[in-house]
């Protein structure tokens, strides 16, 4: 099954390089990587070229548009529309993925299912201290390393870091009571399922777009399944200057409408790129 990893980024070349290094360490590499770039400057293109030179066996394509503010859904739709892959895995360009991450998503992939994981969040000092060697040697996924940084204070975070043997984590994911919402920083689905709902809603900015997309997938018959405890992902901290409380309130209304109405199709969606 041809698989592409789509990762979103915006003017964070250091984080992007660390993310791509974690992709290069996968036990099952994606067949291609798409950097969905929401308007970054030339430093990001240089960072991608640098990683490509170090890992020529990892095909990377760079999909970019002009900076018009937070338009992650727009650039993701463009990336999906131009993808040749059958199966798409999504992360953000500030997320370091465990060596078994892609393999786990593919293990559970089904046409009538989307997968939704979670994040292990590093604080700002730890984020700033992470080195390329920490990623390449796998230290960022070592529970002892994470514990020393103060990251594993909550039991749920220890579970996300692989505390349980895989069979136990697999079982817990199947019965875990938390809602199976789409997580754009740790999610996957067949491309055909995404096209069926017309992709992401391009009118939605930061806050809620992932959940609304997941609801429409559910409404179309594609049900969510957790990979919270078997597909570890470490999130690098960063400021969120694009956060807008008014837009988030408006998005909540759109989410309620999608859930209540059984909505499937995004009016402002991926068809504009096809």
């Amino acid at each position: 099954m041809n698989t592409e990893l789509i990762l979103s980024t915006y003017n964070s070349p250091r984080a992007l390089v660390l993310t791509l290094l974690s992709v290069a360490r996968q036990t099952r590499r994606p067949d291609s990587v798409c950097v969905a770039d929401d308007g970054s400057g030339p430093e990001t293109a240089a960072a991608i070229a640098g990683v490509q030179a170090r890992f020529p066996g990892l095909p990377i394509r760079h999909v970019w548009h002009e900076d018009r503010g937070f338009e992650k859904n727009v650039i993701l739709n463009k990336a999906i529309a131009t993808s040749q892959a059958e199966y798409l895995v999504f992360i953000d360009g500030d997320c370091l993925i465990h060596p078994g991450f892609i393999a786990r998503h593919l293990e559970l992939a089904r046409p009538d299912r989307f997968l939704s994981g979670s994040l292990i969040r590093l604080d700002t000092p730890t984020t700033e201290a992470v080195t390329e060697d920490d990623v390449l040697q796998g230290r960022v996924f070592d529970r002892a390393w994470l514990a020393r940084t103060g990251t594993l204070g909550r039991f749920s975070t220890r579970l996300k870091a692989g505390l349980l043997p895989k069979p136990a984590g697999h079982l817990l994911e199947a019965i875990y009571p938390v809602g199976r919402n789409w997580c754009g920083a740790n999610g996957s689905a067949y491309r055909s399922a995404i096209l069926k709902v017309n992709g992401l809603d391009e009118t939605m900015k930061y806050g809620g777009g992932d959940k609304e997309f997941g609801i429409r997938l559910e409404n179309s018959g594609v049900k969510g399944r957790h990979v919270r405890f078997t597909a570890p992902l470490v999130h690098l901290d960063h400021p969120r200057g694009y956060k807008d409380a008014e837009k988030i309130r408006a998005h909540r209304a759109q989410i309620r409408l999608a859930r209540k109405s059984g909505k499937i199709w995004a009016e402002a969606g991926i068809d504009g790129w096809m």
Side-chain angles (χ1 to χ4, degrees):
M1 182 167 60
N2 189 281
T3 302
E4 182 162 74
L5 176 68
I6 297 179
L7 58 95
S8 60
T9 193
Y10 174 72
N11 279 334
S12 300
R14 173 183 175 268
L16 177 61
V17 168
L18 294 174
T19 296
L20 290 172
L21 293 182
S22 75
V23 177
R25 294 188 70 251
Q26 293 298 290
T27 57
R28 198 298 195 186
R29 284 184 178 179
D31 297 289
S32 60
V33 177
C34 176
V35 178
D37 186 347
D38 193 16
S40 300
E43 296 82 4
T44 292
I48 295 169
V51 174
Q52 185 71 90
R54 294 168 67 180
F55 298 95
L58 183 68
I60 305 174
R61 64 190 186 98
H62 185 193
V63 176
W64 178 91
H65 64 192
E66 293 181 353
D67 186 355
R68 297 183 294 267
F70 189 93
E71 291 194 346
K72 177 182 175 182
N73 283 2
V74 177
I75 196 62
L76 285 178
N77 276 348
K78 184 176 181 180
I80 296 162
T82 55
S83 179
Q84 300 299 310
E86 182 182 3
Y87 196 75
L88 303 177
V89 182
F90 295 83
I91 63 172
D92 290 335
D94 49 22
C95 293
L96 315 177
I97 56 177
H98 184 275
F101 182 88
I102 297 293
R104 178 57 173 165
H105 274 265
L106 293 179
E107 181 181 12
L108 294 177
R110 283 186 0 197
D112 62 348
R113 167 190 287 168
F114 71 82
L115 300 175
S116 180
S118 191
L119 296 76
I120 302 165
R121 299 182 184 274
L122 302 183
D123 60 20
T124 299
T126 305
T127 294
E128 292 174 350
V130 172
T131 67
E132 292 188 3
D133 196 55
D134 288 331
V135 178
L136 291 171
Q137 298 302 318
R139 282 190 291 271
V140 290
F141 303 106
D142 181 79
R143 288 197 298 277
W145 185 92
L146 290 166
R148 285 195 299 272
T149 67
T151 303
L152 300 184
R154 300 177 63 181
F155 182 66
S156 61
T157 306
R158 296 199 293 275
L159 289 173
K160 293 174 189 177
L163 176 65
L164 299 175
K166 184 179 176 181
H170 179 91
L171 176 61
L172 183 58
E173 287 172 342
I175 63 175
Y176 202 65
V178 172
R180 289 158 171 77
N181 301 316
W182 175 267
C183 177
N186 186 347
S188 66
Y190 274 81
R191 182 172 178 269
S192 56
I194 296 172
L195 296 180
K196 184 178 177 181
V197 301
N198 204 25
L200 293 108
D201 187 332
E202 297 185 2
T203 69
M204 300 185 77
K205 309 304 178 183
Y206 176 78
D210 287 356
K211 182 175 287 189
E212 193 270 351
F213 172 59
I215 290 169
R216 287 188 288 105
L217 284 173
E218 291 264 2
N219 292 343
S220 75
V222 179
K223 304 303 181 182
R225 202 278 190 196
H226 285 312
V227 286
R228 291 174 66 88
F229 308 123
T230 57
L233 180 153
V234 173
H235 178 264
L236 302 170
D237 193 35
H238 58 84
R240 292 173 177 79
Y242 43 75
K243 191 173 182 178
D244 185 318
E246 184 176 342
K247 285 186 173 66
I248 291 173
R249 282 194 294 271
H251 296 163
R252 287 172 181 160
Q254 289 177 260
I255 290 166
R256 289 193 295 271
L257 177 62
R259 182 175 285 118
K260 182 178 180 180
S261 67
K263 179 180 180 179
I264 293 174
W265 188 259
E267 288 80 9
I270 202 170
D271 58 346
W273 298 104
M274 301 297 285

